Amino acid sequence: LDNYVELVQDKRGGTSLGNTSFFAIGSVALGTVMALTLAILLNSKVKGLTFYRTAFFLPSLMPLVAGSILWFTMYSGQGGIINTLLKKIYIDGPAWLTDPNWAKPAIIFMTAWGAGNAMVIFLAGLQDVPTSLYEASIIDGANWLQRLTNVTIPMISPVIYFNVVMGVIGGFQAFAQALIMTGSTGVGAPEQSTLFYVLQLYNVGFMDLRMGYASAMAWVLFIIILGLTFAATQLSKRWVTYDR
């Protein structure tokens, strides 16, 4: 029980939980919007549809370590492709991974790279929406935004719920991105801005060799994820539609 008392009093534990919550919310919001947008675009009848589907899905197959190294190179202030492109349009890019104000957003932007997995799930849900509903809405004079909000989103709400829950679970388990991209094996550089909860758990358990305290942190993480999943399930009764 002393481990749990210490965890409540540990400022680094609170910092890591705050960083993780910020990352989870940002990555889920950005990833869901991007995946759904791509799925809607790819659900339309355009030439080369198979190529586009493959191109957007392939990045999600890249191992997380390899993707983190790739984005670390892209974010580099010394010739990184992102700041180089920004300079082309006369914008001075920030020091992405060394600025505490930009380190977490930079890792959140990187997670959109793997939106292809959720995109495929959204695409499967969109293809299951009856076309008769779209035809009826067009006859009633609905524009594309009205069709999106009144037909598409309600009909794929179970898919949205699934992707959001899986995204939240994955977001709270973030570890490799911070470890590789910011080298934050101990302090969550820069200025503990990327000290995620699982990274702090790793530091305590495998760097400090305090396995009891690390196990307590793991149980707290389990309870947090379980609680968020239960809350999402209860809230889903208000907006998720299963009847067709």
Side-chain angles (χ1 to χ4, degrees), residues 97-219:
L97 299 176
T98 57
D99 187 339
N101 295 321
W102 282 99
K104 280 196 297 291
I107 299 178
I108 290 174
F109 295 151
M110 176 232 169
T111 59
W113 170 264
N117 190 32
M119 178 202 71
V120 171
I121 299 175
F122 276 131
L123 189 58
L126 289 171
Q127 292 178 344
D128 200 30
V129 177
T131 57
S132 59
L133 295 179
Y134 291 116
E135 294 170 354
S137 62
I138 293 174
I139 293 174
D140 289 339
N143 56 35
W144 71 270
L145 182 59
Q146 292 171 325
R147 293 196 298 273
L148 175 65
T149 56
N150 296 308
V151 178
T152 303
I153 291 180
M155 294 303 294
I156 65 169
S157 54
V159 181
I160 297 175
Y161 162 70
F162 172 79
N163 278 333
V164 168
V165 169
M166 296 302 294
V168 169
I169 293 173
F172 271 87
Q173 294 177 340
F175 167 70
Q177 304 95 317
L179 181 67
I180 295 171
M181 297 178 67
T182 62
S184 45
T185 54
V187 296
E191 299 181 15
Q192 297 187 357
S193 61
T194 58
L195 181 63
F196 293 157
Y197 190 87
V198 177
L199 179 59
Q200 173 65 1
L201 190 156
Y202 167 80
N203 292 332
V204 171
F206 295 95
M207 304 298 289
D208 299 339
L209 300 179
R210 300 184 60 195
M211 287 297 176
Y213 187 42
S215 298
M217 292 185 66
W219 274 108

Side-chain angles (χ1 to χ4, degrees), residues 33-60:
V33 171
M34 178 167 288
L36 181 57
T37 302
L38 291 175
I40 292 174
L41 293 174
L42 294 179
N43 194 43
S44 60
K45 296 180 180 179
V46 296
K47 292 183 178 180
L49 186 59
T50 303
F51 169 77
Y52 290 121
R53 289 178 179 175
T54 304
F56 286 123
F57 178 70
L58 279 178
S60 65

Side-chain angles (χ1 to χ4, degrees), residues 74-90:
M74 293 170 62
Y75 279 134
S76 174
Q78 302 295 328
I81 187 173
I82 294 179
N83 281 353
T84 299
L85 292 176
L86 290 175
K87 190 173 293 185
K88 295 286 186 181
I89 55 176
Y90 305 102

